[in-house]
Structures are given as structure tokens and as C-alpha cells.
């Protein structure tokens, strides 16, 4: 037989405790625990007991709506885009406290600059616009300029400056957005006092002028009388009435009120006389005795004081002569006369001319 012996060791117990956040892995047995409790693990003759406390992380969500950007007070970060952003703190049991920022960013519209002239004239209009429609137009001084709140049409009222503002209403998150432009309303220039003849004969010229230079001249009826825009020289073309207008434009593009003068274009007279006489006759014309063919003219004032030109086309025809020889018995009836004796006889008549 075999002699032997057995060594019996006493069993002992080891008590331990632990705490963890959300999950705990016990190194003695490699087990993972997610709940608080008392757990055992036998290792050799040792009985290990674990008193486990599982603490939990906390979670929270903060919803924020902001215009253009948002600075989160927890971390001091500025955000310009919508999204879900986490931030981790430590809660009262020493675990993570994760706060999520549910951020909704609304961008205000980019209006840009006002498009339109920075200077207009009293009594004139100018249309203003912006890159984005749907806004409201206002003027800071309506005694200087008024503006249609919808269309942006500006009317110059008085001399001075005013601020034109374009505003797009807010959307609940972003406040109203606006952009402005200062405009100047300038006085209209003066056109001065006109001088020049108010009556002129067809075919003649006359010069118009104003006490203020640099303007432009216009004719209401160029077929009656034309006028040089810069020179003011009026050319009378046909009888009738015409209004001569003068306008001055200043350095701001403002046009003056139009000053005008009525001009009457008087007719000239042209008379043609065609006369035919026989030599050696004569024709009396303008105190002259004419006996030769030709064209003769003289000019005299007509009933309105303009030229009356009389033209005479005079033709002097020469006489013609023919001879007839007759031999007859007893008598001859010639030119309604009865001739019974031989001789030379003549009579005068009108020829073809």
C-alpha cells in the first residue's frame, strides 16, 4: 500500500467593495457588471466577496435657436452652424454629465448695398433697389425726399440730404435687417431770360440767347423753323408758328424748368409774270420800259413786311412778212377786198406767235 497524507487548508473569505460609472469589470473573474449588487468569486480556497455600487452618467439636452451665431456659456465656444454639440461635466456621483446643445442657426438675409443714385433733383424721381426684395423703404426726412415704401421710387421734394433706409422684417429669431444710403436732393438750375426776334421771314436766320449760358435749344416744329441746339441760330423754313425752348442741365444732371418764346415765321411772296409782246412794242415793268426778251425781277416788301419777289419772263416776238403774186382777169377777191386794177397791195394780221 501507499502511505500518504492530505493537507487541508482552512477556507477564508475576503470582502471588498468597489464603485464605478455605468459598468465595472472584476479582475478576479473577468466578469463585467452593469448593476449594483453583491457578487462572489471563488479563487482557490479564498471566497472573494464584492460589494459593487454602479453610478450612472447623466444626460441632458438644451435646445437653442439663434441668429447667425451662438456662444455657449458652458464652454465659451461660438457656433455658426446648426447641429448637435456635446459638452461633458462631472455629476454629483462623479460620473459624466453630458449636456447636448441642440442648436438651430438662422442666418439673417444679406441685403447688400442700396442700388441707386446718390443725388437727385427737386421735382425729379429715381428708382432704388436692393439685392433682396420684399422689404420696406423709408426716408428720414420727407420734406427733402419721399419714397414709395414698396417700389422704392424716390421723389425729390426739397433741397437737402436725407437717409434712405431699406428694411427686411425679422423672422422671430433674427431681428429686422436694414441698410441705408444718404442721398442729396439738389435745386434745379435756372434757365435765365431769353432774347431773340419773335417774328422772322421764311428763308432768313436769327440768333437766340439766354442770360444763362450752357443750355440746349429746341424747336417745337423743326419743319417750320429749326434751331441749333448749342448755337441758338434759328432757320426759318416755312410760314407758321413755332415755340423755341431752352433747357439748362447742371453738374448733378438736374434739368431746369423749360423757358420758351413763341416765334412767328412770316411768309415771303413770289409772283411770276409771263408776258409776250410784238416788236416794236414795249412792256412797262417796275417803272422800266422793256423791249427785249428776258427775265426781269424786283423785290419789294409784302403785306407782312417780308420780301415779295416779282419775276417777269418777257418774250418779244418779231413780225413776219410774205409776198404773193397774182395774175387775174377783171378782178381779185383778197383779204375780203375786191381789186380791179393792177398794183401792190398789203394787209396786216397776227402770225403764229
Amino acid at each position: 500500500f501507499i502511505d500518504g497524507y492530505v493537507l487541508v487548508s482552512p477556507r477564508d473569505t475576503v470582502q471588498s467593495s468597489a464603485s464605478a460609472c455605468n459598468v465595472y469589470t472584476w479582475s478576479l473573474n473577468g466578469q463585467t457588471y452593469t448593476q449594483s449588487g453583491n457578487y462572489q468569486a471563488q479563487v482557490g480556497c479564498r471566497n472573494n466577496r464584492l460589494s459593487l455600487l454602479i453610478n450612472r452618467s447623466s444626460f441632458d439636452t438644451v435646445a437653442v435657436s439663434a441668429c447667425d451665431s451662438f456662444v455657449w456659456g458652458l464652454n465659451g465656444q461660438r457656433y455658426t452652424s446648426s447641429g448637435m454639440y456635446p459638452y461633458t461635466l462631472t455629476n454629483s456621483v462623479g460620473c459624466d454629465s453630458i449636456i447636448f446643445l441642440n442648436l438651430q442657426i438662422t442666418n439673417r438675409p444679406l441685403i447688400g448695398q442700396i442700388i441707386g443714385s446718390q443725388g437727385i433733383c427737386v421735382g425729379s424721381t429715381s428708382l432704388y433697389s436692393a439685392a433682396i426684395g420684399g422689404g420696406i423703404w423709408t426716408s428720414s426726412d420727407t420734406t427733402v425726399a419721399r419714397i414709395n415704401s414698396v417700389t422704392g421710387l424716390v421723389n425729390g421734394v426739397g433741397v437737402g440730404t436725407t437717409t434712405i433706409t431699406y428694411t427686411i422684417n425679422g423672422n422671430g429669431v433674427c431681428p429686422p435687417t436694414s441698410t441705408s444710403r444718404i442721398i442729396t436732393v439738389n435745386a434745379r438750375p435756372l434757365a435765365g431770360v431769353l432774347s431773340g426776334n419773335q417774328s422772322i421771314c421764311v428763308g432768313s436766320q436769327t440768333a437766340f440767347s439766354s442770360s444763362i449760358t450752357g443750355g440746349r435749344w429746341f424747336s417745337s416744329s423743326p419743319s417750320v423753323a429749326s434751331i441749333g441746339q448749342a448755337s441758338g441760330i434759328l432757320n426759318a423754313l416755312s410760314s407758321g408758328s413755332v415755340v423755341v425752348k431752352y433747357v439748362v442741365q447742371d453738374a448733378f444732371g438736374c434739368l431746369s424748368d423749360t423757358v420758351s418764346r413763341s416765334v412767328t415765321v412770316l411768309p415771303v411772296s413770289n409772283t411770276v409774270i409771263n408776258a409776250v409782246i410784238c416788236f416794236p412794242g414795249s412792256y412797262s415793268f417796275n417803272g422800266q420800259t422793256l423791249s427785249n426778251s428776258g427775265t426781269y425781277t424786283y423785290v419789294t416788301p409784302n403785306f407782312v413786311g417780308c420780301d415779295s419777289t416779282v419775276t417777269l419772263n418777257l418774250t418779244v416776238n418779231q413780225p413776219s412778212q410774205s409776198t404773193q403774186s397774182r395774175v387775174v382777169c377783171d378782178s381779185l377777191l383778197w383779204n375780203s377786198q375786191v381789186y380791179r386794177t393792177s398794183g401792190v397791195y398789203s394787209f396786216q394780221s397776227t402770225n403764229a406767235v
Side-chain angles (χ1 to χ4, degrees):
F1 66 94
I2 299 175
D3 292 330
Y5 67 91
V6 175
L7 178 63
V8 176
S9 298
R11 182 184 299 271
D12 62 346
T13 301
V14 178
Q15 181 71 40
S16 63
S17 63
S19 63
C21 292
N22 303 313
V23 63
Y24 179 78
T25 300
W26 197 5
S27 61
L28 289 180
N29 59 5
Q31 294 293 312
T32 297
Y33 303 95
T34 59
Q35 300 292 329
S36 297
N38 294 311
Y39 301 96
Q40 297 185 71
Q42 186 74 36
V43 179
C45 294
R46 180 175 291 176
N47 184 23
N48 295 281
R49 292 180 180 180
L50 173 65
S51 178
L52 179 60
L53 175 63
I54 295 294
N55 294 314
R56 302 296 179 184
S57 296
S58 59
F59 300 89
D60 195 8
T61 299
V62 178
V64 174
S65 294
C67 181
D68 293 336
S69 66
F70 176 72
V71 177
W72 198 5
L74 286 179
N75 60 6
Q77 294 293 313
R78 178 179 294 275
Y79 301 92
T80 58
S81 300
S82 298
M84 188 74 77
Y85 301 96
Y87 184 70
T88 302
L89 299 170
T90 301
N91 62 16
S92 60
V93 294
C95 294
D96 288 346
S97 173
I98 302 176
I99 301 176
F100 290 93
L101 173 63
N102 184 4
L103 181 60
Q104 183 65 42
I105 293 292
T106 300
N107 293 314
R108 71 185 73 203
L110 299 176
I111 300 178
Q113 294 183 340
I114 292 175
I115 302 170
S117 173
Q118 288 189 270
I120 64 172
C121 311
V122 172
S124 66
T125 61
S126 182
L127 187 63
Y128 287 75
S129 62
I132 298 177
I136 302 298
W137 296 92
T138 57
S139 170
S140 64
D141 190 344
T142 55
T143 64
V144 174
R146 298 189 183 98
I147 188 167
N148 186 292
S149 62
V150 177
T151 65
L153 183 66
V154 176
N155 290 274
V157 178
V159 176
T161 60
T162 184
T163 300
I164 298 299
T165 301
Y166 181 68
T167 303
I168 293 181
N169 289 331
N171 53 16
V173 176
C174 292
T177 303
S178 64
T179 183
S180 300
R181 166 173 284 191
I182 297 175
I183 67 169
T184 302
V185 179
N186 301 294
R188 299 177 68 174
L190 299 175
V193 179
L194 302 188
S195 60
N197 293 329
Q198 290 188 270
S199 63
I200 184 175
C201 297
V202 170
S204 59
Q205 291 184 338
T206 188
F208 280 81
S209 62
S210 172
S211 57
I212 295 178
T213 60
R216 291 176 294 167
W217 298 91
F218 300 92
S219 168
S220 64
S221 181
S223 62
V224 174
S226 63
I227 191 168
Q229 281 197 0
S231 66
I233 301 298
L234 184 78
N235 292 280
L237 303 176
S238 62
S239 60
S241 296
V242 67
V243 177
V244 173
K245 301 177 181 180
Y246 184 68
V247 178
V248 174
Q249 185 175 26
D250 65 15
F252 302 106
C254 297
L255 293 175
S256 67
D257 289 327
T258 301
V259 291
S260 60
R261 170 169 286 199
S262 296
V263 177
T264 301
V265 180
L266 303 172
V268 295
S269 304
N270 291 288
T271 303
V272 178
I273 301 173
N274 296 310
V276 179
I277 63 174
C278 294
F279 181 84
S282 62
Y283 190 89
S284 179
F285 179 70
N286 190 31
Q288 302 178 65
T289 299
L290 306 175
S291 57
N292 294 318
S293 296
T295 298
Y296 305 89
T297 60
Y298 77 91
V299 179
T300 187
N302 63 9
F303 67 99
V304 293
C306 294
D307 288 347
S308 174
T309 302
V310 181
T311 301
L312 170 65
N313 295 316
L314 178 62
T315 301
V316 179
N317 291 326
Q318 297 299 317
S320 58
Q321 179 177 317
S322 63
T323 301
Q324 297 179 359
S325 297
R326 300 290 180 89
V327 177
V328 299
C329 295
D330 297 329
S331 64
L332 173 67
L333 178 61
W334 187 58
N335 191 32
S336 300
Q337 295 290 322
V338 178
Y339 297 93
R340 291 185 172 84
T341 59
S342 298
V344 176
Y345 303 95
S346 65
F347 78 93
Q348 185 173 329
S349 66
T350 302
N351 61 15
V353 296

